[in-house]
């Protein structure tokens, strides 16, 4: 059977001008392999080195956790509109610069260090960008107006969703964040975006390092959003949620991974909602110890976890590479890790009950449905 076309549902990009802690607070080591430009040209070279490269038809960009000087901007809701917008622009300088970079990508107007040429931006089929869901509805909407202006018409039309990372937070912090009335209101409003198509929300939690409390909090938040949607009865599309990276389940480097009970309960609960999706991505960074060298070992470790994911989500599971972050834990080098992961996914789709799933759904159809994009 021929390899289906591929829509990579999860990649990150940044220009050479955004590789310091003032651009990404997590870029603290200038010698780290991520602390350099990662542009579309770099991504394409990696893809072309893979046997799967010819089938890649596009990607979805996901925000890169740009720098913020503090959690919330110091602004009064009673301030003049211009003053509020000025404070928001200064506070969110780095995320807005990210939008400026993406605008250059889609408009084909590369600046020095952007890492793309010609029509390479056409590979981007959609963008999941950052937004401050934790702010009041008034400030959130003000930020979106600013973001739309910075993005320009073409890029804003390609914004298919938003993400606000929920990993690496303190104990109880995620529950406090996503349980707030402002957060729920801001999330629920996504269904009215894109002229009725709706924006998705990408969920980034890390049960490997943070435990399962954030995942449980997300499940409760989604239920509150559904209750609000029913109560409002506006006719807007239900908000689509996309869980990243198998929720970062820890993986065994030496044996098949036994799915954690609390993770499994949460996944089964979330999977019952037909508007919640899961990304088959990020696994190369979740091994306890060194990532196995061979694809066969990686597949063997992942198989029990992936089977439960397909049991819960069926044809709402999508391929994502998590490039270039896959290179941090990946054992095949910066050129080889994308292809290694694609090969692992191909093998996983041949395993047990998983092989009954439509492989085209994993490789591209599920992402097209989740983000409402065309390949």
């Amino acid at each position: 059977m021929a390899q289906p076309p591929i829509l990579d549902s999860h990649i990150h990009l940044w220009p050479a001008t955004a590789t310091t802690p003032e651009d990404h607070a997590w870029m603290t080591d200038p010698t780290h392999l991520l602390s350099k430009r990662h542009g579309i040209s770099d991504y394409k070279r990696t893809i072309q080195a893979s046997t799967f490269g010819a089938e890649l038809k596009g990607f979805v960009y996901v925000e890169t956790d740009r720098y913020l000087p503090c959690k919330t901007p110091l602004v009064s809701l009673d301030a003049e509109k211009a003053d509020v917008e000025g404070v928001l622009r200064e506070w969110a300088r780095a995320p807005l610069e990210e939008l400026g970079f993406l605008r250059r990508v889609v408009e084909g107007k590369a600046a020095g260090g952007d890492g793309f040429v010609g029509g390479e931006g056409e590979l981007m089929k959609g963008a999941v960008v950052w937004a401050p869901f934790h702010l009041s509805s008034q400030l959130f909407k003000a930020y979106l107006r600013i973001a739309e202006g910075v993005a320009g018409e073409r890029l804003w039309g390609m914004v298919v969703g938003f993400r606000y990372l929920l990993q690496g937070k303190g104990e109880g912090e995620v529950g406090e964040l996503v349980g707030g009335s402002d957060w729920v209101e801001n999330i629920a409003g996504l269904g009215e975006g894109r002229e009725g198509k709706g924006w998705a929300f990408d969920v980034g939690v890390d049960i490997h390092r943070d435990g399962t409390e954030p995942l449980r909090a997300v499940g409760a938040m989604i239920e509150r959003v559904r209750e609000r949607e029913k109560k409002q009865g506006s006719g807007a599309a239900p908000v689509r949620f996309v869980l990243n990276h198998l929720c970062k389940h820890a993986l065994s480097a030496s044996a098949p991974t036994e799915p954690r009970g609390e993770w499994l309960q949460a996944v089964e609960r979330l999977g019952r909602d037909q508007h919640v999706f899961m990304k088959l991505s990020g696994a190369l960074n979740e091994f306890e110890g060194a990532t196995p060298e061979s694809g066969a070992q990686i597949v063997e470790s992942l198989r029990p976890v992936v089977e439960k994911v397909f049991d819960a989500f069926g044809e709402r599971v999508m391929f994502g590479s998590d490039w270039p972050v896959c290179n941090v834990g990946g054992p095949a080098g910066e050129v080889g890790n994308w292809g290694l992961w694609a090969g692992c996914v191909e093998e996983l789709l041949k395993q047990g009950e998983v092989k009954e799933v439509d492989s085209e759904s994993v490789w591209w159809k599920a992402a097209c449905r989740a983000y409402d994009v065309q390949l």
Side-chain angles (χ1 to χ4, degrees), residues 60-61 125-129 155-162 194 198-202 240 370-373:
V60 175
Y61 172 90
K125 304 305 180 184
V128 175
V129 300
L155 172 60
W156 197 248
M158 295 180 68
V159 171
V160 296
F162 296 91
R194 297 180 72 199
W199 284 306
F201 182 77
D202 265 47
R240 299 180 298 278
Y371 294 120
D372 199 351
V373 297

Side-chain angles (χ1 to χ4, degrees), residues 6-73:
I6 298 174
L7 174 59
D8 190 342
S9 71
H10 199 107
I11 82 160
H12 306 290
L13 302 166
W14 50 83
T17 53
T19 56
T20 73
E22 287 72 37
D23 306 294
H24 295 89
W26 50 269
M27 285 190 185
T28 55
D29 180 0
T31 66
H32 194 279
L33 63 86
L34 294 180
S35 297
K36 63 182 179 182
R37 184 196 80 184
H38 285 86
I40 298 178
S41 296
D42 306 305
Y43 176 70
K44 282 185 65 179
R45 280 193 291 272
T46 298
I47 305 309
Q48 290 165 355
S50 164
T51 57
F52 296 86
E55 305 309 323
L56 182 84
K57 305 305 179 186
F59 63 79
V60 175
Y61 172 90
V62 178
E63 63 90 24
T64 58
D65 194 21
R66 291 280 188 128
Y67 169 82
L68 290 173
C70 54
K71 182 178 177 180
T72 58

Side-chain angles (χ1 to χ4, degrees), residues 187-199 232 234-239:
I187 291 285
L190 296 182
E192 300 174 358
R194 297 180 72 199
E195 299 180 344
K197 291 183 178 180
W199 284 306
Q232 288 178 328
S234 64
V239 177

Side-chain angles (χ1 to χ4, degrees), residues 225-238:
V225 169
R226 297 296 180 234
E227 291 171 2
R228 188 179 183 89
E229 289 170 339
K230 290 179 182 178
K231 185 177 180 180
Q232 288 178 328
S234 64

Side-chain angles (χ1 to χ4, degrees), residues 246 280-281 283 295-307 310 341-357 362-363:
L246 306 173
L280 185 50
S281 60
Q297 290 174 294
I298 294 170
V299 168
E300 181 66 9
S301 174
L302 272 168
R303 180 180 50 75
V305 171
V306 169
E307 285 181 350
F310 277 99
W341 178 241
C344 289
V345 171
E346 181 183 53
E347 289 303 312
L348 284 163
L349 292 176
K350 299 175 182 177
Q351 302 287 315
E353 296 178 5
V354 174
K355 65 184 178 183
E356 302 301 323
V357 174
V362 177
W363 289 114

Side-chain angles (χ1 to χ4, degrees), residues 95-123:
L96 293 173
E97 287 179 354
E98 181 178 28
L99 290 176
F101 164 62
L102 294 175
R103 179 172 182 167
R104 297 194 297 275
V105 168
V106 301
E107 294 179 355
K109 299 177 180 178
D114 276 353
F116 71 89
V117 296
E120 289 181 335
E122 294 177 6
L123 278 173

